[in-house]
Amino acid sequence: MIIDRHLAAGEAMLADAANGLSGRLEIDDIVRALVFGFIRLHQDDPRLHRVLAGEVPISSAQRERIKALRSRIIALVAKVLSEHVKEAELKATLLVDTADALTHRWIVDQVALPASADIMVAQASKMLKGYLS
């Protein structure tokens, strides 16, 4: 099923991101990687995302898979944030949900921020880094 292939792509991206983490990362790097990852995921096929988000019924197994993927992303971000901030899990949750919502709105919902992906990364990262400081 198409949603399963889409979830597999997201899971593969997460695995790549987790494998790429090494050493101490600075907050700038963490936030930029998170925002860029969501932009990359949503830019892949915005029309497909729109259909999957609004028109395709999701089974309970797929819903659990989505929930597990979100939890793994939050755990990964919390792990790398823990060296820098208190309440890393709470802050990771807010970062992940905000980055996901922003990129979904800009790319999938076609509200289209009039900017390139690089500018989107820079602006969203600036906002999210402000939350952490």
Side-chain angles (χ1 to χ4, degrees):
M1 184 173 250
I2 198 161
I3 194 163
D4 293 314
R5 287 192 304 267
H6 177 65
L7 288 171
E11 291 162 345
M13 284 178 66
L14 177 60
D16 286 345
N19 290 334
L21 294 178
S22 60
R24 180 180 163 89
L25 296 173
E26 296 303 319
I27 285 182
D28 287 358
D29 299 324
I30 297 165
V31 172
R32 288 181 71 78
L34 177 67
V35 173
F36 178 75
F38 276 112
I39 288 173
R40 193 172 128 213
L41 179 66
H42 288 94
Q43 271 186 329
D44 178 46
D45 191 340
R47 290 191 340 235
L48 173 62
H49 279 271
R50 202 168 20 264
V51 170
L52 292 176
E55 300 175 24
V56 174
I58 298 173
S59 71
S60 58
Q62 291 164 333
R63 204 170 303 285
E64 285 302 312
R65 197 169 165 192
I66 293 166
K67 184 178 172 182
L69 181 58
R70 177 182 172 267
S71 293
R72 290 192 348 248
I73 295 168
I74 290 169
L76 180 62
V77 172
K79 178 183 171 190
V80 294
L81 276 180
S82 66
E83 298 180 24
H84 302 283
V85 300
K86 294 179 182 176
E87 299 178 306
E89 187 172 342
L90 170 65
K91 291 178 179 175
T93 301
L94 289 169
L95 290 175
V96 167
D97 288 346
T98 301
D100 183 31
L102 284 173
T103 56
H104 196 279
R105 180 119 173 113
W106 290 336
I107 297 169
V108 177
D109 293 345
Q110 289 187 320
V111 173
L113 182 68
S116 68
D118 289 341
I119 292 171
M120 291 167 62
V121 169
Q123 293 301 308
S125 295
K126 184 177 179 180
M127 180 186 74
L128 294 173
K129 286 184 290 189
Y131 163 67
L132 292 174
S133 57

